[in-house]
Amino acid sequence: QVQLVESGGGLVQAGGSLRLSCAASGRTLSSYTVGWFRRAPGKDREFLGGIMWSSGGTYYGDSVKGRFTISRDNAKNTVYLQMDGLKPEDTAVYYCAAGGRISTNPPDYWGQGTQVTVSS
């Protein structure tokens, strides 16, 4: 089992930045990709990006390329989502998830989510 806990959400003005954290505990993450999704009101869940724990390689969804960056701290077992140039349309609940190829297959584990609100 893997437990994921997100933090760092909140209210920010358009153009601002936020960094979300996803602290993982439980079994080792070495065989997993850890990534981020979001769900905005009235919209489908959207894949944002992921980081392969073993290699550190990252990949992103098209909507956030160039604005969002995923990184990890191995010692803290934590994955970060740095969000820059935020727009009102980025308002959503953001979820951390872990699994295999999470961009195409349902993740095995989910965090509880953290709200991000971007004001215009």
Side-chain angles (χ1 to χ4, degrees):
Q1 288 285 341
V2 174
Q3 292 78 43
L4 303 171
V5 178
E6 303 98 333
S7 61
L11 175 64
V12 63
Q13 287 189 332
S17 298
L18 273 178
R19 188 179 78 160
L20 305 183
S21 300
C22 172
S25 60
R27 65 183 299 176
T28 177
L29 294 173
S30 59
S31 61
Y32 289 102
T33 293
V34 181
W36 293 91
F37 293 77
R38 69 185 178 189
R39 187 187 294 275
K43 294 188 177 181
D44 292 335
R45 185 175 65 204
E46 179 184 10
F47 170 74
L48 302 179
I51 184 166
M52 293 173 281
W53 197 264
S54 58
S55 68
T58 56
Y59 55 104
Y60 298 91
D62 289 341
S63 66
V64 300
K65 280 181 182 176
R67 293 194 301 128
F68 291 8
T69 304
I70 295 174
S71 62
R72 65 166 189 216
D73 183 328
N74 284 9
K76 295 182 178 179
N77 239 28
T78 298
V79 173
Y80 302 99
L81 178 66
Q82 177 67 40
M83 305 185 291
D84 299 316
L86 284 164
K87 307 173 183 179
E89 51 264 43
D90 293 317
T91 295
V93 178
Y94 284 69
Y95 298 90
C96 177
R101 190 171 182 81
I102 61 173
S103 59
T104 55
N105 299 324
D108 298 316
Y109 305 101
W110 290 93
Q112 83 286 355
T114 186
Q115 176 71 46
V116 172
T117 302
V118 184
S119 63
S120 57

